[in-house]
Amino acid sequence: MVKKKKKSQNLKAELKINNKTYSLPIYDSTAGEKVLDISKLHQESNYFTYDPGFSSTASCESKITFIDGNKGILKYRGYDVAELATKSDFIEVTNLLIYGDLPNKAQLNKYRKLIARHTLLHDQIVNFFQGFRRDAHPMAMMVGVMGALSSFYQDSLDINDPHQRQEATRRIIAKAATIGAMAYKYSIGQAFVSPKNNLNYAENFLHMCFSHSAEKYKISPVLAKAMDVIFILHADHEQNASTSTVRLAGSSGANPFACIAAGVASLWGPAHGGANQAALEMLEEIGDTKNIKKYISKAKDKEDKFKLMGFGHRVYKNYDPRAKILKQVCSKVLKHVGIKNDPILKLAIELEKIALKDNYFKEKKLYPNVDFYSGIILRAIGFPPEMFTVIFAIARTAGWTAQWTEMTEDPIQKIGRPRQLYTGKVKLKYGQNRSTKNTR
Ligand code: CMC
């Protein structure tokens, strides 16, 4: 049954085109912007709406994550992310995101066991890895192997079966860390390390990445907590590019493993999840505080493609709350690993200070985002920059599966099919307008 949305009582919207007036229903939200319903506009008026980058478009109704970009607030299912980062752990947060409320003790214990049961990968996936070049980017392996899961776990592909849907989400979350660690081991030429189910999710990931046959990795509680906080803070972020990709792929009825692989691909780009790698590489390129001014000028120069990586956000027009938490975690981790005066952290803090005082950044409301400090933490834990986006992807499997589940269970859901403003040629006869350029 289709549940009716709550129409706003006092507000009305009308759109006038050529003396004809169209009424647009307005729906109330529980927090944040209300929406204008334009779903019937084309049918009634023969006009499309135009919104490149979807800056003004709510593509779905969701109860999962709320962001107030002006105030710098991020909540999962109504809980402030800062509170979850201190009081919860990643596995509990995945449960919260998927099922909608915090689990009780018995539910959580059962769920932890179910996730732990799925950490192993089918043994043939090891052969699958051998097909990648040794120098392949770990994200290339992540996209490929995530998609390949649909060929190994054919008993959880039926999206119309709620049990299979749940089994698929658990498999994706549990196996993401194992795949990520395998991608890392493969890229450095070491043998894969099996998961250990007596460890928690973050500890297990560190174990699979840093243990090897000659030496057992001693898991530091400080680094494991930092890893866990990074997973929590990256777990979901409303309808961002990769989540919208997962929803769009899923809207056609594609299987969950294929949809999540599509999300991983979208996350890889430097404007999205790839920014953490790009931010650390940028700090290394700047190299010294004396070069900051030069790079700030480059970032402001319209003719220059350079952007301050780890700065700015489509939604946050204030300090990203995740960056605030990670700045503190960063100091703790560096202290723990004995880096007293990390020149890169010093550079990052100075760059942030100078940018936040600069009129260009102030006027455009560009603040540090989640990627500004996460790279410094991950590097201190021992990860190379190519692994940063993989870690983001592992965490985001929580949000992607929660959003995919919500979409699949939404009675209103139908295939996503945007339209366009066509500005190409019409009515050509074959042979007319043949190209004379020799550049293709
Ligand atoms: N450095 C310099 N100028 C910037 C930056 C930046 N980092 N970010 C935005 N601007 C400028 C941009 O050039 C534009 O200027 P103008 O109005 O003169 O054309 C204005 O600010 C608005 O930016 P926009 O690109 O229209 O904003 P957007 O919402 O389309 O893009 C963004 C958001 C995150 C893609 C962009 O800020 C960016 O490229 N930042 C650097 C990459 C980055 O850190 N990405 C991680 C995002 S957080 C993690 C995640 O959720 O994936």
Side-chain angles (χ1 to χ4, degrees), residues 271-272 275 302 307-311 313-314 360 364 369 371:
H272 193 7
K302 278 248 163 264
K307 271 190 177 179
L308 221 50
M309 299 313 285
F311 252 78
H313 200 275
R314 169 65 59 82
Y360 174 92
K364 295 187 189 298
N369 62 48
D371 294 319

Side-chain angles (χ1 to χ4, degrees), residues 334-351:
L334 292 183
K335 198 170 156 206
H336 176 77
V337 297
I339 303 174
K340 282 204 185 87
N341 295 307
D342 181 26
I344 293 289
L345 177 64
K346 210 172 126 202
L347 183 64
I349 291 173
E350 194 56 26
L351 179 63

